[in-house]
Amino acid sequence: MAKSRNNLLGVGGQRKKLSRADQQGAGSARVADRKVAEDKKQELVRKMRERAEAQAAEPAEPSADENTSSAQS
């Protein structure tokens, strides 16, 4: 029998076997751990963005003050 190129059964690795609780949507501690990790990551990204914005705004303010002081003289 010739090989069939359309039959991809078994290609792509194995799937994790789900427990009955996971199948029924009850979830497990693993799901909660992922949620906590995602929350920590989002918080870290938010803090990094705030710091980056503060650093970007910081150099602009002194140059504006220098321009106004020299214009007043």
Side-chain angles (χ1 to χ4, degrees):
M1 197 165 127
K3 289 184 178 179
S4 173
R5 298 283 181 199
N6 295 330
N7 186 6
L8 297 177
L9 184 64
V11 175
Q14 296 178 350
R15 294 185 180 172
K16 177 186 159 298
K17 299 221 184 311
L18 297 175
S19 67
R20 284 190 177 192
D22 289 336
Q23 290 174 358
Q24 294 170 357
S28 64
R30 182 182 303 131
V31 175
D33 290 344
R34 287 183 188 158
K35 178 72 172 149
V36 170
E38 183 65 25
D39 291 343
K40 286 181 181 178
K41 181 180 176 184
Q42 292 298 325
E43 183 67 18
L44 180 62
V45 168
R46 183 186 63 80
K47 287 180 182 178
M48 290 175 66
R49 284 185 182 151
E50 287 177 358
R51 287 181 186 164
E53 289 172 0
Q55 288 178 351
E58 203 171 284
E61 292 175 6
S63 64
D65 291 337
E66 291 172 3
N67 291 338
T68 57
S69 63
S70 63
Q72 291 175 356
S73 299

